[in-house]
Amino acid sequence: MLGTPSVEELRHKTFGVRHLQCLLLALGLSMGYANRVNFSVAIVAMTDAHEHKEGVETFQWSEKEKSLIQSSFFWGYVVTQIPAGQWCRKVGAKAIFLWGNIISSTLALLTPYLVTMGDWQMLVAVRIVQGLAQGVMFPCTHSVLSRWSPPGERATLCGLAYAGTYLGAILIFGSSGWIITYLHGWPSVYYVSGFMGFVWCFIWYVWGSNSPHSYKRISPAEKSMILKSMETPEDRNVESSFKTPWRSIVCSMPFWALLVDHCAHNWGFWTLLSQLPSYMKYILNMDIQSNGLFSALPYLIMFLLTFIFGYLADVFHKRQWMSTNLSRKLFNTVGQWLPMISLVALGFCDSSHLVWALAFIVISVGFNSSSFLGFNVNHLDISPNYAGVLMGITNSAANVITILALLTVGFVVTDVTDPLQWRILFCVAAGFYFVGNLCFLLFGQTSVQKWNESSPKPAEMQLIEWLTIGRELMVSSSSTSSNSYGQL
C-alpha cells in the first residue's frame, strides 16, 4: 500500500483541487472583465461612421457622454462590494459569484437591442445594473481563496486567480477588431462576451466549491494539508455566526494603508484600461484591427508576468530569502512605481514615436501585475477570516475613485486628438501610483491582526456569563464573610 502523501509532496503536486478552484475563479473573473471592458472596444466602432455596417446603427456621442457611459458601470459596482463580503460568509461565495455572472452575461447579450431602443441613457442604465451584478466578483474570489490557498502557495494561487482579469481583457481586445470587421459589427462584441459568460456559469455550477469541506471529490490528504497549513477550524461555517469587527477594522492602520493603495491603483489601472483603444486610435493613428491587437498585447504581457512574479514570490517565501512583509512591498513597488515612470514618459509620445509609445504602454500595464502580489494579497495576510469583507470595503472605495477617474477623462480630454491633454491625464494617474505605494510602504503590514479572531458571543451567552460571574462573586464574598466571622 502507498503511504499518505506528505505536506511537502502535496505542495509540489502538479495539479490539485485547490488549483482547479483557482483556475475556475480565473475564468470567472475573465468572463466578468470581458463583459466589463467590451464597451471600451465597441465604443470606437459605435461612434465611428467609417466603421458603419448595413443594419448596424452608429451614434454621435460627445466625450462627456462617453465618459458618463464608461463610469456608469462603477456606479452600480460600488454598491454591492461591502454587502457581497457579508453574503459570502452567510450564503457562500459559489452561489453569489454564479448569479453575478448570469445577470452580467444576460445584459451583455441584450445590450445591442437596448442601446438602439434608448440611446446612451439606456446604455448607462444597463451598465449600472451590470456593475451591481459584478460587484460581488472580487469579494467572492477572496472568500474562496481564503479557504483554498495555503500561505506557502498563496502568491501563486492568488496570482493564478487574478490573472483571469487580464485574460478577459486579452480575449476582448485581441479578438474585437476581427469580430467587428468580419461579423455583425460592434453588436457581435457583446454577443460573444455574453455567450462565453454563460459557458463559464455552467462549469462553475458543476465544479466550483466554497471550501475544502464542501468539495466531495477532494482527497483526504490534500484536504488535511490545506486545513492544517492555515490552522483552519474543522467547521469554517462557525465563522458565519461571528459579528464583523467593524470598529477594529476602521481603527486599523494596515487596513487604511491597503485601502489608500487600492484606490490609487484603480485610478491608474482603469484610466489606461478604459482609454487605451481611444488613445491608440486618435494619437497613435491605428485602425480598428491593429488597435485591438496592440491593445491586447500589454495585457498578454501582464498575464504572463503574473505567473513569473507569483513563482518568484513563492520561492522567496519557501527559501526565506525575505520576509513576507518585504516581499509584498517589493512587488507592490515594482507594480506601481515602474508603471508610474512609464506613464509619464507615455504622455510625451505621439504617432511619430510609435515604438516607444507601445513599449511604455507594455511597461505601464504589464508590470502592474506585480502589485497584485502586494496590496491585492494583503487582505488575506492581515485577516484570513474577513478577507472577503475587507476586499468588499477596499474595492468599493477604489471603484468610487474609478468613477472619478473616468469622469475626469471627459473633462481633461475634451479633444481626443490633443497630445497635451493625454499627457495631463497620464501624469495625474502616475501621481496616484506614487502616493498609493508610498502609503503602503510606510504603513502596510502582513501580520494577522488581532481582530481577525474576534468572535463576539450572542447576547444570551453574554448574559449567562455575567450571571455566572456575579454568582461566583457573591459566593466568594459570602465565604469571605463567614471566614471572618469564624476568626472573630
Side-chain angles (χ1 to χ4, degrees):
M1 292 180 62
L2 294 174
T4 303
S6 67
V7 171
E8 287 302 317
E9 288 174 335
L10 274 169
R11 278 185 177 170
H12 293 89
K13 186 177 179 180
T14 304
F15 195 85
V17 176
R18 63 195 185 282
H19 301 100
L20 171 64
Q21 297 305 310
C22 290
L23 177 60
L24 295 179
L25 288 172
L27 294 175
L29 290 175
S30 69
M31 296 303 101
Y33 260 63
N35 285 321
R36 184 189 306 192
V37 304
N38 50 18
F39 175 74
S40 297
V41 179
I43 191 174
V44 176
M46 292 172 76
T47 57
D48 188 349
H50 297 293
E51 300 292 341
H52 179 70
K53 282 183 173 289
E54 185 177 354
V56 178
E57 186 177 355
T58 56
F59 307 91
Q60 300 300 314
W61 295 329
S62 68
E63 290 306 311
K64 289 187 178 179
E65 288 170 345
K66 291 178 185 178
S67 66
L68 280 172
I69 300 170
Q70 287 276 22
S71 65
S72 61
F73 174 91
F74 299 93
W75 303 352
Y77 191 67
V78 299
V79 173
T80 49
Q81 293 285 327
I82 297 176
Q86 299 283 42
W87 298 338
C88 288
R89 296 176 61 240
K90 294 182 180 297
V91 179
K94 177 180 177 178
I96 303 298
F97 203 173
L98 176 65
W99 279 105
N101 254 329
I102 287 176
I103 294 171
S104 177
S105 299
T106 301
L107 289 172
L109 293 173
L110 294 175
T111 293
Y113 170 75
L114 294 174
V115 71
T116 55
M117 295 293 293
D119 204 58
W120 69 270
Q121 294 92 339
M122 178 61 74
L123 184 54
V124 165
V126 169
R127 299 285 289 178
I128 290 173
V129 179
Q130 270 191 317
L132 288 168
Q134 288 201 25
V136 305
M137 289 199 317
F138 282 99
C140 286
T141 301
H142 256 48
S143 179
V144 174
L145 286 173
S146 69
R147 289 159 171 77
W148 280 101
S149 58
E153 300 178 357
R154 186 163 291 163
T156 299
L157 294 178
C158 289
L160 170 63
Y162 283 103
T165 58
Y166 325 135
L167 181 60
I170 293 167
L171 291 173
I172 289 299
F173 285 152
S175 63
S176 58
W178 184 88
I179 291 172
I180 291 171
T181 303
Y182 296 105
L183 297 182
H184 189 55
W186 61 261
S188 302
V189 176
Y190 294 100
Y191 296 145
V192 170
S193 60
F195 173 76
M196 291 192 304
F198 274 104
V199 172
W200 175 85
C201 288
F202 172 76
I203 296 172
W204 177 248
Y205 177 78
V206 175
W207 286 290
S209 177
N210 290 316
S211 70
H213 290 292
S214 58
Y215 198 88
K216 296 180 179 179
R217 293 183 291 275
I218 187 173
S219 68
E222 184 180 7
K223 179 177 179 180
S224 176
M225 184 276 287
I226 295 172
L227 299 181
K228 286 181 179 179
S229 66
M230 295 191 292
E231 297 182 352
T232 309
E234 283 303 314
D235 185 7
R236 289 299 296 253
N237 293 327
V238 172
E239 292 176 9
S240 64
S241 64
F242 294 175
K243 293 182 180 178
T244 303
W246 295 111
R247 180 178 298 179
S248 298
I249 291 174
V250 171
C251 295
S252 172
M253 183 58 72
F255 163 75
W256 281 103
L258 176 56
L259 185 145
V260 170
D261 193 39
H262 197 161
C263 289
H265 168 270
N266 267 38
W267 185 291
F269 181 80
W270 279 101
T271 294
L272 204 55
L273 181 64
S274 63
Q275 299 306 315
L276 190 55
S278 296
Y279 174 78
M280 287 186 165
K281 177 178 175 63
Y282 297 109
I283 299 299
L284 302 184
N285 297 325
M286 291 186 173
D287 60 59
I288 190 68
Q289 291 189 55
S290 299
N291 191 329
L293 290 173
F294 281 105
S295 293
L297 176 62
Y299 296 95
L300 176 60
I301 301 299
M302 194 180 198
F303 179 76
L304 297 174
L305 285 177
T306 299
F307 297 100
I308 295 174
F309 289 138
Y311 172 77
L312 290 175
D314 280 343
V315 169
F316 293 160
H317 181 277
K318 177 187 174 184
R319 300 186 180 180
Q320 299 181 345
W321 287 350
M322 62 178 65
S323 66
T324 301
N325 188 58
L326 180 58
S327 174
R328 296 284 187 261
K329 293 180 178 181
L330 172 64
F331 284 105
N332 207 69
T333 300
V334 171
Q336 293 187 350
W337 281 1
L338 193 58
M340 171 192 72
I341 297 170
S342 59
L343 268 179
V344 173
L346 180 62
F348 290 88
C349 295
D350 55 29
S351 58
S352 64
H353 308 95
L354 182 60
V355 175
W356 281 108
L358 292 175
F360 290 136
I361 290 171
V362 167
I363 294 172
S364 299
V365 176
F367 281 85
N368 188 256
S369 63
S370 179
S371 65
F372 280 79
L373 299 174
F375 83 90
N376 213 39
V377 187
N378 196 230
H379 307 76
L380 300 171
D381 293 327
I382 64 176
S383 180
N385 289 343
Y386 298 100
V389 175
L390 295 186
M391 173 53 82
I393 299 171
T394 65
N395 208 30
S396 180
N399 283 286
V400 172
I401 297 299
T402 301
I403 294 172
L404 297 177
L406 297 180
L407 290 175
T408 299
V409 173
F411 288 95
V412 174
V413 185
T414 55
D415 179 5
V416 292
T417 62
D418 186 352
L420 177 59
Q421 295 181 2
W422 286 98
R423 184 182 307 162
I424 295 171
L425 187 71
F426 293 149
C427 286
V428 170
F432 273 86
Y433 275 146
F434 176 79
V435 173
N437 187 58
L438 182 63
C439 288
F440 191 71
L441 289 176
L442 294 176
F443 305 110
Q445 294 182 18
T446 55
S447 56
V448 177
Q449 303 299 293
K450 293 181 180 179
W451 43 265
N452 176 66
E453 302 299 334
S454 64
S455 54
K457 298 172 183 171
E460 61 273 16
M461 293 298 295
Q462 289 183 342
L463 179 60
I464 292 172
E465 184 174 336
W466 293 339
L467 290 174
T468 302
I469 293 172
R471 185 177 63 183
E472 290 177 352
L473 288 173
M474 290 178 64
V475 170
S476 176
S477 176
S478 175
S479 175
T480 302
S481 298
S482 298
N483 291 337
S484 299
Y485 179 80
Q487 290 173 358
L488 290 173

